[in-house]
Amino acid sequence: MLEAEVAVVGAGAAGLSLAHRLAGPGRGPRTPSVVLVDAPPGPLRPPRRTWCFWEAGPGRFDAALTASWRHLRVRPPTGDPIEADLAPLRYKMLRSDDFENLVRRDLARSPNVRRVEATVETVEEFEGGAHVRLRHPDGGTGVLRARWVFDSRPLGSLPAARTTLLQHFHGWFVRTARPAFDPGAVDLMDFRTAQPATGLSFGYVLPTGPHEALVEYTEFSPRLLTGSGYEAAVRAYAHDVLRLGDSQVLATETGVIPMTDAPLPRRVGARVFRIGAAGGATRPATGYTFAGLQRQTRAVAAALRRGRRPVPPPAHSARSRAMDAVLLRALAGGRVDGPALFCDLFRRVPAPRLLRFLDGGTRLHEDLAIGLRTPIGPMLRSALELPGLPRRPFDRPAPEPPPLETV
């Protein structure tokens, strides 16, 4: 039987971040022992992904960044692009392989963190702790006894919600024959794409040089496309809209992020908690997750080091979640024109303030001022409708992104 004060289940962004924050000495009088349980290679291991977030100044994972930008663009369906300077913020791009390499290097030097490769079969609480039952790659079984368990594995299905949209995307890592990209700015939302019947779609360009970029097609809508549908959409965006010309696709990336107003409980038992996307770290209205899970894991690590009860805090405030529920309802009901709404916000609100708003970092008076720059009538009708709507199960399991495929 393995024993540790802390068991971290799952080695995706949330699990690795929590283990990294607990590795070695830190602020606080205690350094807890940690076992990180990583799934063996196969379908249970998180696929390779690209995470983006924004922050001011240097950050914890800057050494692993692929790129960062101080400028962004939002392109309306027609007309001139909206240009924005993000200072003092920077928009940062982090690929999961680089993040994992940085964290693994630091964990390998940590005397208090042990990494175990196994499949978690059950988590069973007892007075004062929990047993995590493991199956190892050779077929053998084992038990990890821990005082606290933090489970970062994806949910098997989505909880009942009043509104659920899916943010689903397909992207190409491309290299072009001619200089086709501005490496000084990210195209955050390019609405020169064919719009779906419900929700919205946009292109997304993360340039890493004049010839290289991640080019994605993204939808917020209730249903996924087929594989050929995604390929056709990103091909149309790359060639018909961006006019990249002769280019090579180095790799592809496909993902699905639920955008839901369903409550996602962080507490599974007295000593078992969920963190990351399963624990509500995803911002419902945007799909951004990385910054939210960093807030969660920072708070949990601080509590453990101080000997306090390490209940993960909400990654987003109740006010932020309420505003997101209204926006999701307005988009799903077709009450607002999504491209027009986002373009107006970026046109009328300074980009640093708007990004702080999207990350839940603004005050009430700032939230109200930004709300007044949305279509007030449709948003108010959506807000008044919400309390009377029943929460219904989503009619398909929680979507899991397929792995990154190299072409």
Side-chain angles (χ1 to χ4, degrees):
M1 180 182 289
L2 294 170
E3 292 199 28
E5 184 171 352
V6 177
V8 180
V9 178
L16 287 174
S17 294
L18 180 55
H20 191 254
R21 291 182 181 279
L22 292 171
R27 294 181 180 178
R30 304 182 66 258
T31 301
S33 60
V34 180
V35 171
L36 173 64
V37 184
D38 189 3
L44 295 181
R45 181 167 285 189
R48 286 184 279 177
R49 308 179 190 213
T50 301
W51 299 305
C52 288
F53 55 100
W54 48 87
E55 61 184 348
R60 185 180 184 87
F61 304 111
D62 279 3
L65 292 179
T66 302
S68 69
W69 303 268
R70 210 186 79 177
H71 299 275
L72 65 75
R73 278 186 295 266
V74 173
R75 296 183 182 269
T78 59
D80 295 332
I82 303 158
E83 309 271 353
D85 187 323
L86 302 181
L89 303 176
R90 292 192 74 88
Y91 192 83
K92 299 184 177 184
M93 174 186 183
L94 180 62
R95 297 193 67 185
S96 59
D97 281 356
D98 298 323
F99 170 75
E100 289 169 12
N101 289 337
L102 181 150
V103 173
R104 282 174 177 155
R105 182 196 66 207
D106 291 347
L107 294 185
R109 298 196 292 255
S110 173
N112 64 301
V113 178
R114 177 178 178 181
R115 191 165 185 163
V116 173
E117 191 172 277
T119 301
V120 172
E121 297 194 325
T122 61
V123 178
E124 302 164 358
E125 278 199 89
F126 61 87
E127 184 68 29
H131 285 149
V132 181
R133 301 198 177 274
L134 310 174
R135 182 167 296 279
H136 299 288
D138 63 3
T141 59
V143 176
L144 166 60
R145 178 189 176 107
R147 185 180 179 194
W148 307 104
V149 177
F150 298 91
D151 193 343
S152 67
R153 293 173 297 174
L155 296 174
S157 60
L158 294 176
R162 291 168 298 195
T163 311
T164 297
L165 293 176
L166 302 175
Q167 180 179 152
H168 47 113
F169 54 87
H170 183 64
W172 291 349
F173 292 87
V174 299
R175 179 180 295 136
T176 59
R178 62 173 179 83
F181 304 107
D182 172 10
V186 57
D187 282 276
L188 188 69
M189 300 178 107
D190 184 345
F191 292 110
R192 297 175 297 172
T193 52
Q195 296 300 310
T198 300
L200 57 90
S201 76
F202 55 89
Y204 181 44
V205 182
L206 299 174
T208 55
H211 296 265
E212 297 85 24
L214 170 57
V215 176
E216 285 191 351
Y217 171 84
T218 301
E219 275 194 22
F220 296 178
S221 62
R223 294 289 178 269
L224 303 179
L225 306 182
T226 62
S228 60
Y230 287 114
E231 277 293 315
V234 73
R235 183 178 295 109
Y237 178 60
H239 295 305
D240 299 342
V241 176
L242 298 180
R243 301 187 182 279
L244 297 184
D246 187 21
S247 59
Q248 179 184 7
V249 179
L250 306 177
T252 65
E253 181 178 80
T254 303
V256 185
I257 302 170
M259 304 172 70
T260 176
D261 66 358
L264 295 172
R266 301 176 306 285
R267 189 175 211 143
V268 179
R271 295 181 176 270
V272 181
F273 309 100
R274 290 196 182 108
I275 57 173
T282 301
R283 181 72 193 260
T286 66
Y288 285 99
T289 303
F290 195 79
L293 69 86
Q294 294 306 322
R295 287 192 288 272
Q296 274 190 341
T297 55
R298 185 187 307 120
V300 167
L304 287 166
R305 289 186 180 279
R306 289 172 172 81
R308 299 172 182 168
R309 193 168 187 82
V311 180
H316 308 286
S317 70
R319 187 170 78 241
S320 294
R321 297 194 304 272
M323 291 186 295
D324 287 0
V326 174
L327 176 60
L328 289 176
R329 193 67 206 165
L331 287 173
R335 288 197 174 109
V336 296
D337 180 324
L341 182 147
F342 283 104
C343 287
D344 284 347
L345 285 175
F346 276 96
R347 191 178 288 116
R348 301 172 66 187
V349 180
R353 185 185 307 164
L354 186 55
L355 291 185
R356 286 193 297 109
F357 169 77
L358 294 176
D359 204 29
T362 45
R363 298 181 178 181
L364 177 60
H365 72 276
E366 295 175 300
D367 293 347
L368 293 173
I370 291 171
L372 291 174
R373 286 160 174 78
T374 64
I376 295 175
M379 299 295 272
L380 184 58
R381 286 195 297 273
S382 298
L384 294 174
E385 176 188 49
L386 279 173
L389 292 176
R391 294 188 181 272
R392 301 182 185 279
F394 195 53
D395 62 0
R396 61 187 303 277
E400 261 300 284
L404 186 76
E405 298 176 0
T406 300
V407 177

